């Protein structure tokens, strides 16, 4: 039973009949593209690692799996994380240019091999130092340490500004 989702049918008759739905809280795989290119400072990359860890720690789904793809102009590493892996040990890879298409191609190849690998969401932690990719079948969330209002229309999906103290405020 899932107390976070009450049985709507019973609530229609009486708001005091708050009973759990039969389904549990489930979440598909979240894929995070972590920009480790040369334009991202070490404080920015450390902030990205902290965002990944906080996402795992604070997400209400216990069996959440997050796949972190470190990339610059190419795929640098691919690692899966769950709450059982806490605390995480991080190592930055790469330092080249930025290419958002590299992790997108990786995800699309993963999905092509197995449809069950379709991510619930693809989050990019980045300084947005590259051309926008094309929209995909899965939703995007851009967490950007640099901000340019022109990107609001150019990049598909939702956008969030994440200032890193002393670097972009």
């Amino acid at each position: 039973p899932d107390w976070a989702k009450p049985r709507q049918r019973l609530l229609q008759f009486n708001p005091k009949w708050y009973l759990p739905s039969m389904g549990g809280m489930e979440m598909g795989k979240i894929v995070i593209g972590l920009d480790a290119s040369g334009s991202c400072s070490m404080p920015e990359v450390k902030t990205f690692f902290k965002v990944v860890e906080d996402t795992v720690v604070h997400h209400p789904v216990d069996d959440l799996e997050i796949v972190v793809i470190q990339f610059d102009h190419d795929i640098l590493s691919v690692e899966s994380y769950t709450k059982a892996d806490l605390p995480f040990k991080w190592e930055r890879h790469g330092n080249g240019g930025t290419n958002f298409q590299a992790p997108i191609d990786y995800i699309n190849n993963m999905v092509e091999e197995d449809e069950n690998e379709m991510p619930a969401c693809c989050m990019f932690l980045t300084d947005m130092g590259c051309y926008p990719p094309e929209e995909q079948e899965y939703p995007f969330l851009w967490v950007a340490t640099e901000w340019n209002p022109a990107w609001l229309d150019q990049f598909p999906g939702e956008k969030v500004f994440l200032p890193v103290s002393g670097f972009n405020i």
Side-chain angles (χ1 to χ4, degrees):
D2 183 2
W3 286 95
K5 297 178 188 172
R7 287 189 185 171
Q8 294 297 322
R9 187 173 58 85
L10 295 176
L11 284 175
Q12 288 176 2
F13 298 108
N14 187 335
K16 294 180 182 177
W17 293 357
Y18 190 93
L19 295 171
S21 67
M22 295 311 292
M25 290 184 70
E26 294 180 1
M27 177 77 185
K29 189 178 297 190
I30 296 176
V31 177
I32 297 179
L34 194 148
D35 187 350
S37 65
S39 62
C40 291
S41 67
M42 199 58 200
E44 286 174 303
V45 173
K46 285 181 179 180
T47 300
F48 296 159
F49 290 145
K50 182 70 173 138
V51 168
V52 173
E53 191 166 306
D54 285 351
T55 302
V56 173
V57 168
H58 298 293
H59 201 283
V61 175
D62 289 330
D63 63 347
L64 177 70
E65 179 184 0
I66 292 186
V67 176
V68 177
I69 303 173
Q70 282 193 54
F71 71 98
D72 52 17
H73 63 277
D74 203 1
I75 301 300
L76 304 169
S77 71
V78 179
E79 298 177 62
S80 292
Y81 297 98
T82 65
K83 290 185 181 190
D85 299 319
L86 292 166
F88 301 144
K89 296 194 183 341
W90 297 108
E91 181 182 343
R92 179 184 185 161
H93 302 281
N95 221 10
T98 308
N99 178 8
F100 295 131
Q101 198 59 45
I104 290 171
D105 289 344
Y106 182 90
I107 296 166
N108 291 343
N109 288 335
M110 190 173 68
V111 170
E112 194 174 297
E113 290 177 18
D114 183 358
E115 286 184 13
N116 294 326
E117 294 294 318
M118 177 71 75
C121 174
C122 180
M123 179 191 312
F124 279 93
L125 300 166
T126 180
D127 64 354
M128 302 292 270
C130 186
Y131 297 106
E134 292 181 12
E135 195 165 344
Q136 301 295 315
E137 292 181 36
Y138 39 88
F140 284 121
L141 171 63
W142 300 92
V143 180
T145 58
E146 300 291 331
W147 199 250
N148 180 336
W151 293 332
L152 291 174
D153 294 331
Q154 296 172 0
F155 281 78
E158 300 295 319
K159 294 93 180 169
V160 176
F161 177 54
L162 176 68
V164 176
S165 181
F167 286 89
N168 51 15
I169 297 177

